[in-house]
Amino acid sequence: MTLEAFPENWDRALAVVAHPDDMEYGAASAVAKWTASGKWVGYVLVTRGEAGIESMPPDQAGPLRVEEQRQSCSAVGVDMLEFLDHPDGLVVADRALRADIAGAIRRHRPEMILSINYRDSWGGPSWNHADHRFVGTALLDAVRDAANPWVFPEHGPAWGGVRGVAFGGSPAATHFVDVSGWVERGVASLRCHAVYLANLGDHGDDPGGFLRDAAAAAGSRAGVEHAVEFEIVAA
């Protein structure tokens, strides 16, 4: 697998993901590097993650996860956080989701869109979460919708300036971001999801170790110390 350096000739990016913590499993290290260089990055979350803590009812988990995400954003220099309020665990790639995402794209006018793996698998015998898969599919369609003035005109003027959609953690990665020196900012961002991580059991014991190992492995493939990988789909 030959990876290309992630293009840097943009000033505004919008991350669109399903849940609180999605960006924090790797991609946040790249976000920290970008915001420190003066680029603007905003986050749009399709759900509030209210069904993500099995030991806590949704009406309690949702507000808690929102607050954890706000702290997580702050850790990597992100000031803009929005929620589209689709139901956690029940996301559907339908007209309503496309319209909401297209509206967010038109409001924030990004040149690059960020997300996480939307493919069926994370690689090997695994199965990706339905919300991740459906958000990714709707997102790709919504980029096209946002550029068409005759589609969802009630969601504002068209914006066709998106150059690509970059999916972190994809098994079909095409590009890398050198995050050498930035991994600890990503770790700090993930650690902000403290209650969520505590309810993961063994998987949440050492998120720093997981992120460092993944960044080192990606860095080895890219020829740098630490890296984050993305699959970029042209808009």
Side-chain angles (χ1 to χ4, degrees):
M1 178 174 60
T2 301
L3 299 173
E4 299 180 29
F6 197 103
E8 299 283 351
N9 58 340
W10 52 270
D11 295 315
R12 295 178 65 83
L14 189 67
V16 180
V17 293
H19 315 110
D21 83 85
D22 281 352
M23 285 296 291
E24 284 67 64
Y25 276 95
S29 297
V31 171
K33 178 180 181 180
W34 287 327
T35 59
S37 73
K39 296 182 185 296
W40 181 90
V41 181
Y43 281 21
V44 171
L45 272 62
V46 171
T47 81
R48 293 178 181 258
E50 68 276 5
I53 300 178
E54 293 184 4
S55 63
M56 187 179 296
D59 62 339
Q60 295 178 27
L64 183 146
R65 298 203 71 195
V66 166
E67 181 54 33
E68 289 189 336
Q69 185 62 57
R70 293 192 193 283
Q71 296 173 19
S72 184
C73 286
S74 179
V76 291
V78 171
D79 297 325
M80 199 293 295
L81 172 63
E82 291 182 355
F83 294 87
L84 300 180
D85 288 328
H86 287 251
D88 184 20
L90 300 173
V91 173
V92 179
D94 59 6
R95 181 185 184 279
L97 181 57
R98 284 171 50 193
D100 285 345
I101 296 175
I105 293 170
R106 288 173 177 175
R107 283 194 301 279
H108 300 295
R109 302 170 71 86
E111 299 154 89
M112 184 63 68
I113 302 265
L114 311 172
S115 193
I116 66 165
N117 178 32
Y118 73 105
R119 293 183 175 271
D120 288 346
S121 169
W122 291 95
S126 61
W127 186 241
N128 199 357
H129 193 296
D131 288 356
H132 299 160
R133 292 183 282 117
F134 293 142
V135 167
T137 299
L139 174 56
L140 290 169
D141 289 333
V143 169
R144 181 174 294 168
D145 296 335
N148 188 333
W150 310 119
V151 176
F152 307 131
E154 69 277 14
H155 285 275
W159 171 248
V162 176
R163 300 175 188 174
V165 183
F167 294 94
S170 170
T174 57
H175 292 73
F176 74 94
V177 180
D178 183 352
V179 294
S180 304
W182 294 97
V183 175
E184 294 309 312
R185 288 282 297 277
V187 171
S189 187
L190 179 57
R191 288 192 186 281
C192 290
H193 297 278
V195 176
Y196 174 73
L197 290 171
N199 281 269
L200 290 181
D202 292 341
H203 297 292
D205 285 347
D206 185 18
F210 170 82
L211 289 184
R212 294 183 194 100
D213 289 348
S220 178
R221 290 188 288 271
V224 299
E225 182 181 7
H226 291 112
V228 174
E229 296 175 343
F230 291 89
E231 175 190 359
I232 298 183
V233 179

